[in-house]
Amino acid sequence: MNVQNPVAVTEVLSRKMDDRTCSIRKPMILRARQFEFMFPRPALVMGILNVTPDSFADGGRYADPRAAVDRGLELVELGADCLDIGGESTRPRAVPVSETEELHRVIPVIEQLARRIKVPISIDTMKPAVARAALQAGASVVNDVAANRADETMGRAVAEAHAGYVCMHMQGTPATMQDHPVYTDVVREVREFFLDRMRRLNDCGVAGDQIILDSGIGFGKSSEHNLQLLGALRSFRELERPLLVGASRKSFIGKLLGVELAERLPASLACACLAVEAGAQIIRTHDVAETVQAIRMTEAILAHRK
Ligand code: 9MG
């Protein structure tokens, strides 16, 4: 294996994962418009691109469309397998933005990046109209942190476009979610949520192979809930859909370890590596190059597990 060539590493890992892990990791396919990913395969790294003035980790850095496009190109260069572009912060107590403002922030960036990159673009939005416009502009996946809503407009938009869909669990809304999250059994409740949503999505015309599941680390969860979900990630494999984990730089890391935002990379990488070991297929991160390196190493070791 040529460790200096990430493409070669990925190819070798794919083969080894096929040979050794198919019996425990069921083959799955993810379809998102023109893109298809066959699993098992090396985990996908989703690079975060917040086109917002107020996101918790990088708010304001890429609010200008040119800066955002440059950052998107850079993330792909660093090894991102897909980009998650958002125009409304979902951090706790974030101020909601209007549909017009969100469209104004994300659409020009998506249009330009879709012409220039070959990896899928995910639109991080809670608004069906923004999702529709983003899909028209060239996005292939809808990352919906509000998959807990009752109406079906988002499901129908995803079905019509044959897009991928990240079905994320959140208790409450970003405005209130961290006030006092309560669960009897967070793992069981998230699992029931996934089952219920997969049925509802199906009723809207979204096929199972368009769906990605995400337990929503930090979305209406205490630090203890986040740890329980990360610890139980393996159990969600029985749902036979790709699992996405987004722990990058989140505040539970700061609370647990007493580290500021800028010092959370090592703990974020620990979450990413253990998530991959437990069966996560997509890691959402601010730190693409570091995450690619850490999870390729994890996968190389896993491929040698007897
Ligand atoms: C937008 N956003 C912020 N954190 C996230 C997470 O953990 N998962 C998903 N799907 N989206 C997120």
Side-chain angles (χ1 to χ4, degrees):
M1 190 189 300
N2 174 5
V3 287
Q4 279 163 355
N5 178 348
V7 176
V9 174
T10 305
E11 272 168 19
V12 174
L13 284 173
S14 298
R15 249 180 286 126
K16 280 193 183 279
M17 291 176 94
D18 284 352
D19 293 348
R20 299 197 174 193
T21 55
C22 257
S23 56
I24 49 168
R25 294 186 189 198
K26 287 231 177 97
M28 277 183 297
I29 188 158
L30 171 64
R31 289 185 221 274
R33 310 196 79 183
Q34 73 269 39
F35 295 96
E36 269 188 21
F37 293 97
M38 296 291 300
F39 301 94
R41 53 149 289 142
L44 300 168
V45 172
M46 174 184 257
I48 299 170
L49 181 54
N50 288 319
V51 193
T52 56
D54 59 340
S55 289
F56 80 98
D58 52 4
R61 285 183 70 181
Y62 311 112
D64 169 63
R66 257 176 316 179
V69 170
D70 287 349
R71 177 62 177 162
L73 296 173
E74 184 184 32
L75 290 172
V76 173
E77 193 67 19
L78 291 169
D81 299 295
C82 60
L83 295 182
D84 189 36
I85 302 181
E88 177 175 43
S89 172
T90 52
R91 73 181 158 78
R93 283 174 274 282
V95 181
V97 297
S98 69
E99 193 172 290
T100 313
E101 175 60 21
E102 197 178 332
L103 287 166
H104 173 73
R105 289 180 187 174
V106 295
I107 299 303
V109 177
I110 294 174
E111 277 172 350
Q112 288 195 52
L113 282 172
R115 272 189 239 117
R116 296 174 67 179
I117 61 177
K118 293 197 168 65
V119 303
I121 293 174
S122 152
I123 172 68
D124 156 19
T125 188
M126 297 182 270
K127 299 187 182 76
V130 175
R132 272 186 200 279
L135 293 167
Q136 247 173 12
S140 308
V141 176
V142 176
N143 176 22
D144 186 8
V145 305
N148 56 350
R149 76 167 72 67
D151 83 275
E152 296 182 343
T153 332
M154 185 68 102
R156 279 194 234 105
V158 171
E160 281 163 28
H162 305 284
Y165 180 75
V166 181
C167 171
M168 199 202 78
H169 178 273
M170 166 168 62
Q171 189 177 84
T173 65
T176 59
M177 65 189 180
Q178 289 309 105
D179 288 349
H180 183 51
V182 177
Y183 300 85
T184 308
D185 176 343
V186 68
V187 175
R188 184 172 51 75
E189 287 167 52
V190 168
R191 185 174 180 283
E192 281 166 7
F193 167 82
F194 286 154
L195 289 168
D196 175 61
R197 294 297 134 163
M198 286 197 285
R199 268 191 300 270
R200 286 181 193 227
L201 285 161
N202 218 264
D203 292 345
C204 294
V206 179
D209 60 17
Q210 289 168 254
I211 300 173
I212 297 162
L213 301 176
D214 181 352
S215 59
I217 298 300
F219 283 83
K221 280 117 192 164
S222 65
S223 299
E224 179 62 27
H225 296 139
N226 291 323
L227 292 174
Q228 285 180 15
L229 285 166
L230 288 169
L233 194 63
R234 189 176 300 274
S235 70
F236 296 125
R237 271 161 47 167
E238 71 179 40
L239 300 173
E240 294 182 20
R241 291 312 307 144
L243 303 173
L244 186 153
V245 172
S248 178
R249 302 187 192 174
K250 285 204 171 150
S251 66
F252 79 106
I253 296 176
K255 283 193 195 125
L256 269 164
L257 305 176
V259 287
E260 292 303 320
L261 195 56
E263 299 160 348
R264 295 181 191 162
L265 177 61
S268 303
L269 295 178
C271 294
C273 293
L274 279 169
V276 166
E277 195 278 336
Q281 286 89 355
I282 307 173
I283 303 295
R284 185 177 182 276
T285 182
H286 301 87
D287 302 291
V288 165
E290 294 85 347
T291 304
V292 169
Q293 188 183 109
I295 67 178
R296 290 297 87 92
M297 191 69 213
T298 305
E299 288 163 339
I301 297 167
L302 289 175
H304 287 77
R305 220 181 221 178
K306 297 270 188 259

